[in-house]
Amino acid sequence: GCGSWLLEPQSTNLIPYSEDFSQWQLINIATEVSNTLSPNGTSFMTKATFSSAGNSSYVRQNLTMNAGSITASIFVKKGLTDSYAKIRISGIDNVIDVWFDLDNGTVSSSIGSPTSTSIINYGNGIYRISATTTSTTDLTLIAIIQSANSDGGFPTGNATQFYWGAQVEQLSYPTSYIPTQGAA
């Protein structure tokens, strides 16, 4: 077919390990490479198993950023038990929590004031979810990814979920996925 142009601004994925979640802070969670093919068709998603119920089980990344817009995005697939995924951006003056329904492919609810949210279907039950907020001061951002048993809920003990391609950008929307392997 014919070629095409993808016009986007220059961006940087600030997460140093976008596909290797064993390099993240794992709080009451175990990760392993699965046999679920990722959206790029050449690698596999990470299977996360939440070892405790409630708000005490999650995957976390700490980043230092400048004031302004912050967008977090990740590819996620439903595992066992829980039908929702959650993105939390904290450590800033506009903390947000956003829940995504992985059965219906919809943004469910939020706490705080996200400036935008999105969920895009990549087929085979995989969605790219994203949430954007702003901060008026320089910050040490905490990005959290979590399973949830309901809209506004938390992980069920031993629930599983599949992750790949995490990205945090200083933009007001997510750009095309930028893989990282040890540095931004």
Side-chain angles (χ1 to χ4, degrees):
C2 295
S4 61
W5 291 89
L6 175 62
L7 302 176
E8 292 183 312
Q10 180 176 336
S11 188
T12 299
N13 184 356
L14 298 172
I15 292 181
Y17 293 95
S18 62
E19 297 173 23
D20 184 359
F21 291 90
S22 69
Q23 299 295 321
W24 289 47
Q25 289 180 326
L26 305 176
I27 311 300
N28 296 317
I29 194 169
T31 62
E32 62 183 300
V33 176
S34 72
N35 61 359
T36 301
L37 201 59
S38 70
N40 75 357
T42 61
S43 60
F44 296 95
M45 299 183 82
T46 294
K47 178 182 177 183
T49 302
F50 295 80
S51 59
S52 68
N55 200 24
S56 62
S57 189
Y58 50 86
V59 181
R60 172 173 133 167
Q61 188 68 238
N62 295 344
L63 304 166
T64 301
M65 302 177 68
N66 297 322
S69 292
I70 305 150
T71 298
S73 63
I74 189 168
F75 293 88
V76 63
K77 182 175 182 173
K78 178 183 168 182
L80 296 176
T81 311
D82 291 351
S83 298
Y84 293 82
K86 173 185 166 185
I87 290 177
R88 176 178 176 82
I89 301 174
S90 63
I92 58 173
D93 54 7
N94 187 17
V95 175
I96 62 167
D97 294 276
V98 181
W99 285 266
F100 302 86
D101 184 335
L102 302 178
D103 282 333
N104 299 309
T106 57
V107 178
S108 294
S109 66
S110 63
I111 295 174
S113 301
T115 54
S116 69
T117 58
S118 71
I119 183 167
I120 300 169
N121 188 342
Y122 275 71
N124 194 31
I126 299 172
Y127 294 93
R128 188 181 192 199
I129 59 175
S130 71
T132 302
T133 187
T134 58
S135 178
T136 58
T137 59
D138 290 353
L139 55 120
T140 300
L141 165 75
I142 301 169
I144 290 175
I145 311 299
Q146 199 173 43
S147 176
N149 60 8
S150 62
D151 185 15
F154 300 106
T156 302
N158 296 315
T160 60
Q161 210 159 67
F162 297 88
Y163 301 130
W164 183 82
Q167 188 156 296
V168 171
E169 304 170 83
Q170 292 221 247
L171 287 175
S172 59
Y173 55 89
T175 62
S176 297
Y177 172 55
I178 305 164
T180 59
Q181 296 178 359

